[in-house]
Amino acid sequence: MKRRNHVNPTRPRGCRDDAQTRGGEDDFRSISALPIKNLVDILSRLPFKTIFNCMCVCKKWKDLILDPEFAKLHHTRAPASLILRSRRHGRRCGPRSLCLLDLEASDICSPDAAVKFSPDFGFPTGNFEIVNTCNGLICIRHFHSPNDISITILNPLVGDSITLPLTKKKHRSYVSSWFGHSPETDEYKVIQFVQQPSRLMEAEIHTLGKGTWTSIHGGTLPPPVDLRCHDAFVDGCLPWIVNDPSISEFIYCLEIGRELFQPVPAPPHLGPDDKNRAEDMVLGVLAGRLYFFEYPLGDHFDIWVMKQYGVQDSWTKEFILRNPSTDLIWYRDLYRPLSLLRNGEILMSHKSKAMVSYNPEDRSFRFLKIYGIQNFEANPYVPSFLSPRNIVNGDNTSSSNIQSR
């Protein structure tokens, strides 16, 4: 978008007010004279759209903002958001679009809350899906053929992406993929879960920066085939519901730092007789904590929150969602919690590829019309200026840079 220069009508066109120019230059010099530590602290607290403008001020500021240490600091202060990807439908299918929605905006349905990326923001064409997001990076699984799948890690804010080398093993049955970060080892890893003919579970792991795929085995533990588990990454672990009556535990996780499979304590109200309803149970993350709920047969469902990860006694029944109408049947996947809004409402995705908010006080549901995008899929996202190319360090990945801004 072109800027309009506001000119003084008493002066010839093209001339600038000397006093105004000197004032702006003096302000810039004053800010730039701050110690680097203070300047970084100030920049990291700004909205990301303002940070974009700051990148255009001078090379010094641009280099500060693109520094990996700035990205880490800014990410801890960035607002909770969603990445919305439009879905193609009908005969006249336009290109998919990508939108970032600021959940801390005063009105998430206003134009100011949504940032739409240009069509060339770097997503591959063809058949692909967004696997999940982690620290501002988006993981994409691209299907070239049933047994030919590639993984791309993208940050549309900085316009950088990397594509991982394909695994050497052929004819694999990949049931799901995942991308995450280990706070213990400070490593980013991509995991592809494999279903073997013998029903033995295997996970192929690619550690970014090391350049090779390795395998770990989970024995008879069934892999997480339900992609809803990808939003449930917490404390360096990926938990999922175990839908197998022969295994007594309800929840298992992959601890990606040590690459170990571990059981996770389930909410205390679950017993052996509940195993036959495992496919109606869902895990996710709300406000950084693991949540659990199961689709109801009655007029409500309860959301349990694990206040301290790994401690069973910390499970707390945090929310009770009531059905607003006796004529409305709540079937599986109708609603799915995404985030908590500033006004106390629960933001949820809807089966119709829309979003609704639930007010626990008056038990009301409200469909939300997001500005500039319709019929979409939503993924939790926190903006970041981290470039995926900064974490591969010479890895044998292919990289690219696109100007999404």
Side-chain angles (χ1 to χ4, degrees), residues 123-172:
F123 272 110
T125 58
N127 186 15
F128 72 93
E129 67 182 4
I130 295 179
V131 175
N132 68 317
T133 70
C134 177
N135 293 350
L137 303 176
I138 304 174
C139 180
I140 302 163
R141 190 160 70 151
H142 190 191
F143 301 92
H144 306 283
S145 67
N147 293 312
D148 186 4
I149 301 172
S150 64
I151 300 291
T152 296
I153 309 298
L154 166 74
N155 186 342
L157 295 189
V158 299
D160 282 350
S161 66
I162 59 173
T163 299
L164 304 186
L166 297 177
T167 175
K168 300 296 184 182
K169 300 177 181 179
K170 299 296 183 180
H171 308 294
R172 319 247 49 198

Side-chain angles (χ1 to χ4, degrees), residues 162-353:
I162 59 173
T163 299
L164 304 186
L166 297 177
T167 175
K168 300 296 184 182
K169 300 177 181 179
K170 299 296 183 180
H171 308 294
R172 319 247 49 198
S173 178
Y174 297 107
V175 294
S176 60
S177 301
W178 180 77
F179 171 62
H181 173 257
S182 169
E184 295 181 352
T185 62
D186 194 25
E187 293 177 322
Y188 288 85
K189 299 185 179 184
V190 172
I191 296 96
Q192 294 200 96
F193 292 95
V194 184
Q195 181 70 67
Q196 303 279 41
S198 60
R199 296 197 65 208
L200 296 178
M201 197 261 280
E202 179 183 350
E204 295 181 349
I205 301 178
H206 181 99
T207 303
L208 272 64
K210 294 189 176 179
T212 58
W213 290 90
T214 59
S215 296
I216 60 174
H217 297 270
T220 58
L221 183 66
V225 296
D226 191 342
L227 295 180
R228 292 175 299 175
C229 70
H230 290 149
D231 294 339
F233 172 63
V234 60
D235 287 358
C237 298
L238 171 66
W240 70 90
I241 298 293
V242 178
N243 188 9
D244 189 336
S246 65
I247 298 177
S248 60
E249 290 83 2
F250 283 86
I251 307 173
Y252 254 83
C253 78
L254 172 60
E255 184 183 336
I256 67 169
R258 296 188 296 168
E259 300 183 359
L260 294 175
F261 295 101
Q262 303 277 5
V264 179
H269 70 284
L270 295 178
D273 294 339
D274 296 312
K275 286 294 290 186
N276 60 354
R277 296 188 293 109
E279 65 178 12
D280 292 327
M281 301 175 183
V282 177
L283 295 176
V285 171
L286 283 175
R289 292 172 174 167
L290 185 68
Y291 76 75
F292 167 94
F293 79 87
E294 51 189 317
Y295 288 99
L297 298 177
D299 64 347
H300 73 280
F301 67 77
D302 306 327
I303 299 179
W304 291 75
V305 176
M306 196 179 221
K307 297 297 183 68
Q308 183 177 353
Y309 184 76
V311 179
Q312 185 175 35
D313 293 341
S314 69
W315 280 109
T316 305
K317 188 189 293 185
E318 196 81 357
F319 305 100
I320 301 176
L321 275 66
R322 302 284 182 181
N323 192 332
S325 172
T326 56
D327 297 329
L328 179 63
I329 300 176
W330 279 5
Y331 54 86
R332 187 173 182 265
D333 285 344
L334 180 61
Y335 296 113
R336 181 165 171 245
L338 290 173
S339 183
L340 299 178
L341 300 179
R342 294 174 61 184
N343 59 7
E345 296 182 357
I346 303 173
L347 184 67
M348 299 186 292
S349 62
H350 189 266
K351 185 73 172 179
S352 63
K353 304 305 176 185

Side-chain angles (χ1 to χ4, degrees), residues 5-37:
N5 294 321
H6 298 280
V7 298
N8 189 333
T10 64
R11 298 175 62 86
R13 180 178 295 273
C15 295
R16 302 182 63 185
D17 189 293
D18 293 339
Q20 183 180 10
T21 301
R22 286 195 299 271
E25 290 176 351
D26 291 342
D27 292 342
F28 172 70
R29 291 194 186 99
S30 299
I31 297 174
S32 295
L34 290 172
I36 295 296
K37 181 179 180 180

